[in-house]
Amino acid sequence: MIKKIKNINNLAVFQDFEWDNSVLNNNRQIMRFERMNILYGRNYAGKTTLSRIVRAIEIGRISEKYDSPSFSVMFDDDSTINQDQIANVQKNIRVFNEDFVRDNLRFIIDPEDNVKSFAVLGDDNNALEEEIAILSNEIGSNEENKETGLYKRLRDLKTIYTEIKSANDQFASSLDRQLSEKATGRNTGIKYKTNKFGDQNYNISKLRTDIRKVMSGSYNSLDDDKKAEHELMLKEQVKSTIPLLPTLSLQWEQFCVEAEELLSQKIGSSDKIIELLREVSLNEWVKQGYELHKDKKEICVFCGEKVSDERWSILHKHFDDESRILEQKIGKLIKKIETEMQTVQKLFVTDKNLFYSNFHKEIEKLTESYSEISSRYNEQLEILKEQLSRRKEAITETIPLVRPFDCSQELRMILDSYEHCCIQSNDFTGSLASEQANAREALRLQEVYDFCLTTNYSESMEAISENTKKIEEAKREFDRTRKEIHRLEELITNKKRQLNDEEKGALLVNKYLTDFFGHEFLSLKAIEDNNNGEKKVRFEIVRNGSRAYHLSEGECSLISFCYFVAKLNDINTRGLKPIIWIDDPISSLDGNHIFFVYSLIAAEIAGTGAFEQLFVSTHNLDFLKYLRRLNSLELQPNGKTKSCSKQYFVINRQGHNSTLLLMPKYLKEFGTEFNYLFSCIQQCSCIEVVDDSNFHLFYNFGNNARKFLEIYLYFKYPDFSEDKLERFFGEDRVPSILIDRINNEYSHLQGSIERAAMPVEVPEMVSTARLIIDKVKEDADQYTALMKSIGIDA
């Protein structure tokens, strides 16, 4: 069944409709479609649009006239169908709307065209029916857990297939788990014993390859002595190639030469401030102040006095370019020395475990020696750095170089010895690797061989192979039975085609026309045409034996709906219990015919229960009154029957947009148009603020007020006089004139076309509604009864 229409967009009057935001009860709970659903909406509210969505699912396409339409329909199993999926959906749906009429009863558009024929089962083919019964009995029932015939055999075969396959899958899965555990298990897997078996990328595929090797006749398993021999070989672990240390280019000699040059370089002391030359810290303090004030400040930040041009000249000479350049050179050399100190300190980082054990003592000795010599080397560089720093602080004073001790050659010898150890260790790997690889493979194959013996691998594989043959045989028999069922079903379909009787379809339509509507002069006639020996049947509408033309709208409506109901018994629908959607079937019908349409629905659809879900929409309150009686009984598991579930909806249009709501209680339970019209006027009279939720009351007010007053005043003044409004409102003529204007201008556009382009004038609507309600209140009993009829206590 359809659960709900989740959303609709760009479909006629439905724009951005969301079911979960609209179809709510008084407790704000989201409601759903039930097995029977009654939908009420005024003309142009969108009833046909909803039916077109369901018909699109039925026929697999939607009109190309819509611009980018979208919708989503949810079913009981929470599956959804949208506009992009309808071409691939197979649902048993039958929709009656104007599109159905246009597609099947083309004579309504073109009087020279015909009605599309359909066939129902004929009555005079007993032999064929017996054959069909025999075939159907052979096929049997497909009802779940109650299968008979071939369907029971199909179920039994499926059970056998499923049981054998399930048992075999479990057995194979158990064996696979053992294989997986042996290949890649964290505790016992070959993959995680690389020291013994060698392959860190070992997997179940490689294990199966090894199994084939050990299960072949050429494999010889290892005895204990041979196994121990291979294990001893593996104690000598293969080492990875040891990378060499980066090349260290020591700049000891270059540092000494540059330092001696910078320490001995003379700087002129003339034009220098003697006091600053004597005090290094004071000279540095003034230098910082000089850099901070130069070309930036005229006033000394320290003393607050202006620095004179004469003083600036003395400072410029003291801190001249020659001194600055020498400072920069010294600073650069110090930076290079510091960089080399860091490089020497971090260079020799190694791990003796990278080497074979016979190299460990040598590596330990070299590591200790490097640590000692590198520290000494950096200490000597620090001495050189201290001398350069002293010269930088007293830039005008030369300093003789005190040459530190040179231990760079010892560092180079240590690094050369380390490189020689790396080469020796790497060469040592050559012969060991191949022998250990062979030992690992032999031990791995022995491990696999022992595994096969422990798990009875050969016997297990034979059992799996035997079961696989049984599974394939059961599958072949299952497929053969299924094909046989399909063949017999096609044979039954072909025989049913031979039973088809299009004339029977026409007679069924005529029966409905006569029995329910009393139309004895208008009928449907099946006419057979033979084209190249092929039988084709068409339907024509005839009146008194001759083809009928100029049918009234009411006659077209009757024939169309009778045709639809009769078509529910055609060979493509009968027995399927489809989802049925009937869109406003009473167009242009009088009161008697409205009741007959209801009777036809009640007897032939609801009464038979031959539907999965039923939808009926209408714009007519009289028809809605009848639909409230519509009922269908459902058989319960306990054998008793009860009325099927039922829900009521209102299609509400506000301006250019429509939405779907639950039907209010007063309309559902007191479904006369008079009550409904009174409720619209009463709601309008109570409005304080106009918004999108109530604007429709003003949009429809003219029609609602006119119709309400026509009914109300007809019974109040049944003398056919034309001054009823004046008599109703009494001596004050203003209310009657105002209401007469609204009745004429807002319920009709004829003579006032410009009104269609203007917004509804809300204040006068509210005032008029209140005038009407106030006059009705004068009859207190009637007013109270009217208010109760719409669910309000007066």
Side-chain angles (χ1 to χ4, degrees):
M1 293 199 299
I2 296 174
K3 188 174 183 179
K4 58 185 173 180
I5 302 175
K6 289 182 63 178
N7 52 65
I8 313 172
N9 193 31
N10 291 335
L11 260 172
V13 292
F14 284 94
Q15 301 291 328
D16 300 321
F17 167 75
E18 293 288 341
W19 180 284
D20 291 354
N21 295 334
S22 299
V23 188
L24 308 172
N25 64 14
N26 292 334
N27 296 322
R28 305 297 295 170
Q29 293 175 317
I30 299 170
M31 305 304 287
R32 54 158 293 164
F33 285 131
E34 297 295 346
R35 187 158 181 243
M36 293 181 67
N37 302 276
I38 310 301
L39 298 92
Y40 172 78
R42 289 185 170 273
N43 287 330
Y44 315 114
K47 299 186 296 298
T48 300
T49 300
L50 293 180
S51 71
R52 282 178 172 148
I53 291 174
V54 181
R55 181 166 167 80
I57 300 174
E58 175 189 3
I59 64 177
R61 65 180 185 280
I62 194 167
S63 173
E64 297 178 354
K65 303 298 183 182
Y66 292 118
D67 183 17
S68 302
S70 67
F71 62 83
S72 178
V73 179
M74 178 180 284
F75 291 82
D76 263 355
D77 59 359
D78 289 337
S79 64
T80 58
I81 296 172
N82 61 34
Q83 70 284 347
D84 298 323
Q85 300 168 324
I86 54 178
N88 301 317
V89 172
Q90 293 183 347
K91 294 281 186 182
N92 294 320
I93 297 175
R94 299 294 182 266
V95 176
F96 174 80
N97 62 7
E98 62 183 44
D99 298 331
F100 169 86
V101 174
R102 184 173 53 252
D103 292 345
N104 292 276
L105 295 95
R106 294 185 291 269
F107 76 92
I108 292 176
I109 300 172
D110 181 2
E112 297 298 330
D113 212 329
N114 301 305
V115 179
K116 185 182 291 185
S117 67
F118 65 89
V120 297
L121 294 180
D123 295 327
D124 302 321
N125 297 280
N126 294 333
L128 284 172
E129 289 180 350
E130 287 180 5
E131 292 177 14
I132 291 171
I134 292 171
L135 293 173
S136 298
N137 186 61
E138 183 179 354
I139 293 175
S141 168
N142 194 27
E143 185 178 354
E144 189 173 359
N145 297 325
K146 295 181 181 179
E147 294 87 349
T148 60
L150 287 176
Y151 274 117
K152 182 179 185 303
R153 175 165 173 75
L154 191 69
R155 184 196 67 185
D156 294 341
L157 286 170
K158 184 177 181 180
T159 301
I160 294 171
Y161 169 81
T162 302
E163 289 177 352
I164 298 176
K165 188 175 187 304
S166 177
N168 197 52
D169 287 346
Q170 290 180 10
F171 189 74
S173 178
S174 175
L175 184 59
D176 284 343
R177 284 195 297 272
Q178 294 181 70
L179 290 171
S180 179
E181 183 66 26
K182 175 52 65 177
T184 59
R186 177 67 64 177
N187 297 322
T188 61
I190 292 174
K191 175 179 179 177
Y192 294 102
K193 295 183 178 180
T194 54
N195 288 338
K196 186 174 183 180
F197 302 122
D199 190 353
Q200 63 181 1
N201 296 316
Y202 200 76
N203 54 35
I204 195 169
S205 177
K206 293 182 178 179
L207 175 58
R208 293 184 190 279
T209 300
D210 285 347
I211 287 175
R212 287 193 290 272
K213 291 180 181 177
V214 300
M215 298 305 291
S216 67
S218 59
Y219 176 74
N220 294 316
S221 64
L222 303 178
D223 56 27
D224 291 341
D225 292 339
K226 193 66 176 177
K227 190 175 180 180
E229 182 182 328
H230 287 311
E231 289 174 346
L232 287 174
M233 173 66 70
L234 294 183
K235 288 183 179 179
E236 289 292 340
Q237 297 182 357
V238 176
K239 303 291 184 182
S240 300
T241 301
I242 303 169
L244 301 178
L245 295 176
T247 301
L248 179 63
S249 177
L250 300 175
Q251 303 181 65
W252 170 267
E253 191 61 36
Q254 182 179 349
F255 289 160
C256 290
V257 172
E258 290 184 18
E260 187 173 19
E261 180 182 342
L262 294 176
L263 291 173
S264 61
Q265 183 176 336
K266 293 182 178 180
I267 297 294
S269 59
S270 61
D271 297 326
K272 304 291 183 183
I273 302 172
I274 302 302
E275 186 178 357
L276 298 181
L277 292 177
R278 292 173 184 163
E279 191 70 46
V280 174
S281 58
L282 186 62
N283 182 74
E284 184 63 25
W285 179 74
V286 174
K287 181 181 178 183
Q288 290 178 4
Y290 170 77
E291 295 294 338
L292 291 171
H293 287 70
K294 184 177 66 174
D295 299 328
K296 299 176 185 176
K297 299 181 183 294
E298 294 182 358
I299 303 300
C300 177
V301 177
F302 180 71
C303 68
E305 298 293 335
K306 182 176 181 180
V307 182
S308 66
D309 293 341
E310 180 181 358
R311 187 61 178 169
W312 274 117
S313 177
I314 294 172
L315 290 171
H316 289 332
K317 290 177 182 179
H318 183 80
F319 299 109
D320 56 9
D321 291 341
E322 185 178 11
S323 300
R324 188 162 51 256
I325 291 171
L326 181 58
E327 286 178 353
Q328 290 174 352
K329 288 182 179 180
I330 292 172
K332 288 180 179 179
L333 181 57
I334 289 174
K335 186 66 176 175
K336 289 196 290 185
I337 291 172
E338 289 173 344
T339 300
E340 178 148 314
M341 290 171 69
Q342 293 175 2
T343 302
V344 169
Q345 183 179 359
K346 297 177 181 179
L347 178 69
F348 199 86
V349 179
T350 186
D351 182 2
K352 70 176 182 179
N353 294 320
L354 295 175
F355 296 81
Y356 291 102
S357 56
N358 52 327
F359 293 96
H360 283 185
K361 289 184 179 179
E362 182 66 18
I363 294 301
E364 288 172 355
K365 180 180 178 181
L366 289 174
T367 301
E368 184 180 350
S369 298
Y370 185 86
S371 176
E372 178 186 348
I373 302 301
S374 63
S375 296
R376 192 190 311 165
Y377 181 76
N378 282 348
E379 288 172 359
Q380 300 306 308
L381 287 178
E382 188 64 38
I383 294 172
L384 198 62
K385 194 174 101 172
E386 288 174 358
Q387 296 180 68
L388 289 168
S389 297
R390 288 203 312 275
R391 176 63 200 270
K392 185 178 180 182
E393 291 173 355
I395 197 67
T396 58
E397 298 181 7
T398 60
I399 298 176
L401 175 66
V402 178
R403 194 176 184 91
F405 177 74
D406 182 9
C407 54
S408 59
Q409 192 60 33
E410 294 178 58
L411 274 180
R412 290 191 181 93
M413 291 174 61
I414 292 171
L415 292 174
D416 289 343
S417 298
Y418 177 79
E419 183 174 340
H420 183 65
C421 285
C422 289
I423 294 171
Q424 284 186 317
S425 182
N426 290 337
D427 290 344
F428 186 78
T429 303
S431 59
L432 179 64
S434 59
E435 290 297 325
Q436 289 185 329
N438 293 335
R440 287 192 176 92
E441 181 178 8
L443 290 173
R444 188 185 71 245
L445 292 177
Q446 182 61 38
E447 182 77 6
V448 172
Y449 180 79
D450 293 341
F451 166 78
C452 291
L453 293 179
T454 302
T455 59
N456 296 318
Y457 183 82
S458 296
E459 294 82 353
S460 297
M461 291 304 296
E462 288 178 6
I464 291 173
S465 177
E466 192 64 29
N467 285 333
T468 301
K469 293 177 182 177
K470 293 179 181 178
I471 292 169
E472 291 173 351
E473 178 60 29
K475 181 67 166 57
R476 281 193 296 269
E477 187 61 22
F478 178 84
D479 290 341
R480 190 199 68 75
T481 304
R482 186 168 55 184
K483 288 178 181 178
E484 178 65 10
I485 291 173
H486 181 68
R487 184 187 71 80
L488 294 177
E489 286 177 339
E490 285 189 340
L491 187 57
I492 290 173
T493 301
N494 290 333
K495 290 185 180 296
K496 282 184 177 181
R497 289 196 187 101
Q498 298 175 47
L499 289 172
N500 292 348
D501 190 343
E502 285 83 358
E503 185 174 358
K504 183 74 172 179
L507 291 175
L508 190 55
V509 175
N510 297 336
K511 180 178 184 298
Y512 292 153
L513 285 169
T514 301
D515 292 352
F516 286 90
F517 301 103
H519 272 270
E520 299 178 354
F521 308 107
L522 198 63
S523 61
L524 202 63
K525 183 178 181 181
I527 299 175
E528 183 176 331
D529 293 331
N530 285 299
N531 185 12
N532 296 326
E534 182 181 357
K535 175 185 173 182
K536 287 192 175 180
V537 177
R538 56 187 171 84
F539 287 169
E540 283 186 357
I541 303 297
V542 296
R543 181 185 281 121
N544 297 326
S546 301
R547 180 159 184 161
Y549 294 96
H550 309 299
L551 273 67
S552 69
E553 289 187 18
E555 289 174 325
C556 291
S557 296
L558 287 179
I559 293 172
S560 300
F561 190 62
C562 289
Y563 176 87
F564 172 77
V565 176
K567 203 169 186 302
L568 294 177
N569 293 280
D570 69 8
I571 61 172
N572 296 318
T573 307
R574 190 170 183 178
L576 294 181
K577 301 188 72 170
I579 296 172
I580 300 174
W581 189 298
I582 301 172
D583 177 41
D584 216 354
I586 59 163
S587 176
S588 302
L589 297 180
D590 59 26
N592 286 335
H593 285 134
I594 288 173
F595 178 76
F596 292 147
V597 168
Y598 160 75
S599 300
L600 184 57
I601 295 174
E604 297 298 312
I605 299 177
T608 64
F611 62 91
E612 179 181 356
Q613 195 174 18
L614 177 62
F615 298 83
V616 184
S617 68
T618 183
H619 73 287
N620 186 284
L621 288 170
D622 285 336
F623 190 50
L624 177 61
K625 176 178 63 177
Y626 294 133
L627 291 176
R628 286 170 48 214
R629 309 179 194 172
L630 201 62
N631 190 24
S632 182
L633 297 178
E634 293 179 323
L635 184 64
Q636 302 302 299
N638 60 10
K640 297 182 180 180
T641 58
K642 74 168 187 176
S643 297
C644 70
S645 56
K646 193 174 182 181
Q647 189 59 274
Y648 295 81
F649 301 88
V650 169
I651 304 169
N652 189 21
R653 179 167 180 172
Q654 300 178 10
H656 297 293
N657 294 331
S658 286
T659 190
L660 191 64
L661 306 168
L662 286 183
M663 187 177 291
K665 181 180 179 182
Y666 69 84
L667 188 58
K668 180 170 62 175
E669 296 184 0
F670 306 98
T672 69
E673 188 166 11
F674 182 67
N675 297 105
Y676 176 73
L677 294 171
F678 174 76
S679 73
C680 293
I681 296 170
Q682 194 276 336
Q683 290 178 65
C684 187
S685 71
C686 298
I687 289 176
E688 300 292 340
V689 179
V690 181
D691 54 31
D692 288 341
S693 67
N694 56 34
F695 181 77
H696 66 286
L697 294 170
F698 299 106
Y699 185 83
N700 296 321
F701 183 80
N703 273 318
N704 293 341
R706 175 178 58 80
K707 294 173 71 175
F708 175 78
L709 289 172
E710 284 177 357
I711 300 170
Y712 187 82
L713 297 181
Y714 173 79
F715 288 100
K716 189 172 182 67
Y717 305 112
D719 57 359
F720 305 103
S721 60
E722 295 183 0
D723 60 346
K724 294 180 180 181
L725 281 177
E726 290 82 354
R727 292 163 66 185
F728 181 56
F729 287 103
E731 296 179 358
D732 188 357
R733 290 179 50 82
V734 174
S736 62
I737 293 172
L738 179 60
I739 290 171
D740 190 52
R741 177 201 171 202
I742 290 175
N743 287 350
N744 283 283
E745 292 189 17
Y746 287 98
S747 64
H748 305 285
L749 289 178
Q750 186 175 1
S752 184
I753 299 301
E754 67 277 5
R755 174 64 65 187
M758 298 173 63
V760 176
E761 298 177 31
V762 173
E764 63 187 46
M765 297 294 188
V766 176
S767 299
T768 304
R770 289 172 181 171
L771 284 172
I772 296 172
I773 295 299
D774 288 342
K775 288 301 294 181
V776 174
K777 280 182 180 179
E778 292 178 3
D779 187 338
D781 288 341
Q782 185 177 36
Y783 174 73
T784 301
L786 282 170
M787 292 293 283
K788 284 184 177 180
S789 76
I790 63 173
I792 301 175
D793 292 329

